[in-house]
Amino acid sequence: MSAVQGQAVDIPTEDGTADAYLAHPGDGLPRPGVLFYTDAFGPRPHVRAMADRIVGSGAGYTVLVPHVFYRHGPAPVVELPDFIDLAERPEIFGRIVPVMRALTPELSRRDAGAYLRRMAEDPLVADGPVAVTGYCMGARLALLTAGAYPDRVAAAAGFHGGGLATDAPDSPHLAAPDVTAELYFGHADEDPSLPPEQIERLEEALTAAGVRHRCEVYPGAGHGYTQADTDAYDAKADERHWAALLGLLERTF
């Protein structure tokens, strides 16, 4: 396969234009599509490197990484250091959290339709359903997308996701009855954003709905374990994530 190529693209939505990163093999041939939802820090060099790694794996994929906070301006909505450590997180999250809360499940599902349309129209994306992967808050978006667009999503994965099965009336796990995709979740161990009761509730919902799925807890891994530009990174858990994600893509396509 030829070298990976990446480019900036714009995605028309009902509420404006979302900036995004599109990565694909350089031969220009259509490949299965993967929709990539980032963590709350958004698109940045590390995320683009992750997308490129997906593109270069197996027979190759075309990966779309949307900036889901586009309503607040192009990425980055918050300036980030090259490496995000614990000392900087409170200040960064103090600015990001209100933006995150403004992205409701309703808006997320609507935006997902625009992202999927963009992929369906792109000659670099092969015909047929796509896969979705998401990180931290992106895991919630992946589950919501799979439930809202079952005819367009063949597989979805979420890693160190938080708030997947809350008591809220619009909790992501309530989408389970509408999911037809195969799902995989790699939970962080002792993650305060996804306590054991939520892990159990998610598992019960997926099982009751008859969803093909696998949920695993990565021992010793903290929230954000895949993000190498943060101090939450865990190399062992990250490699486990890659094996799980690429295995899911191989089974799907």
Side-chain angles (χ1 to χ4, degrees):
M1 187 180 69
S2 57
V4 175
Q5 292 187 359
Q7 62 195 84
V9 299
D10 290 330
I11 306 172
T13 77
E14 294 184 34
D15 299 318
T17 301
D19 47 308
Y21 176 70
L22 182 73
H24 56 88
D27 58 15
L29 297 176
R31 295 303 206 289
V34 179
L35 176 58
F36 184 124
Y37 287 123
T38 74
D39 61 4
F41 297 133
R44 57 195 191 278
H46 166 64
V47 166
R48 291 191 286 273
M50 291 180 70
D52 290 351
R53 180 168 174 174
I54 295 172
V55 172
S57 64
Y61 304 94
T62 294
V63 182
L64 181 68
V65 186
H67 171 48
V68 299
F69 297 147
Y70 68 90
R71 292 177 180 84
H72 302 267
V77 294
V78 174
E79 290 297 327
L80 299 171
D82 292 336
F83 185 81
I84 305 167
D85 63 28
L86 184 61
E88 296 163 319
R89 285 175 183 246
E91 179 182 351
I92 294 172
F93 273 109
R95 299 167 63 188
I96 290 179
V97 167
V99 177
M100 291 175 58
R101 289 175 177 167
L103 185 63
T104 64
E106 179 182 1
L107 291 178
S108 299
R109 285 188 286 265
R110 193 161 78 200
D111 287 345
Y115 306 149
L116 293 171
R117 282 192 299 273
R118 174 62 175 76
M119 298 181 79
E121 295 167 356
D122 197 313
L124 294 170
V125 179
D127 293 339
V130 304
V132 184
T133 187
Y135 301 85
C136 299
M137 73 163 197
R140 297 198 303 272
L141 300 182
L143 180 51
L144 290 170
T145 300
Y149 301 94
D151 59 328
R152 293 288 297 127
V153 178
F159 299 93
H160 47 83
L164 292 172
T166 71
D167 294 325
D170 56 0
S171 174
H173 79 287
L174 299 177
D178 298 317
V179 173
T180 59
E182 179 180 351
L183 302 185
Y184 177 89
F185 289 98
H187 305 311
D189 191 20
E190 299 181 2
D191 185 347
S193 70
L194 193 75
E197 58 268 24
Q198 284 198 41
I199 293 176
E200 182 178 358
R201 188 180 296 142
L202 175 64
E203 177 71 35
E204 291 175 350
L206 296 176
T207 299
V211 177
R212 291 169 297 152
H213 71 280
R214 186 172 184 180
C215 297
E216 299 181 316
V217 176
Y218 290 18
H223 185 79
Y225 60 75
T226 64
Q227 305 304 298
D229 59 350
T230 78
D231 58 358
Y233 182 65
D234 183 311
K236 182 178 180 181
D238 184 35
E239 284 307 306
R240 181 175 176 180
H241 133 263
W242 281 113
L245 174 59
L246 298 181
L248 177 66
L249 296 180
E250 290 172 3
R251 292 194 300 275
T252 303
F253 301 118

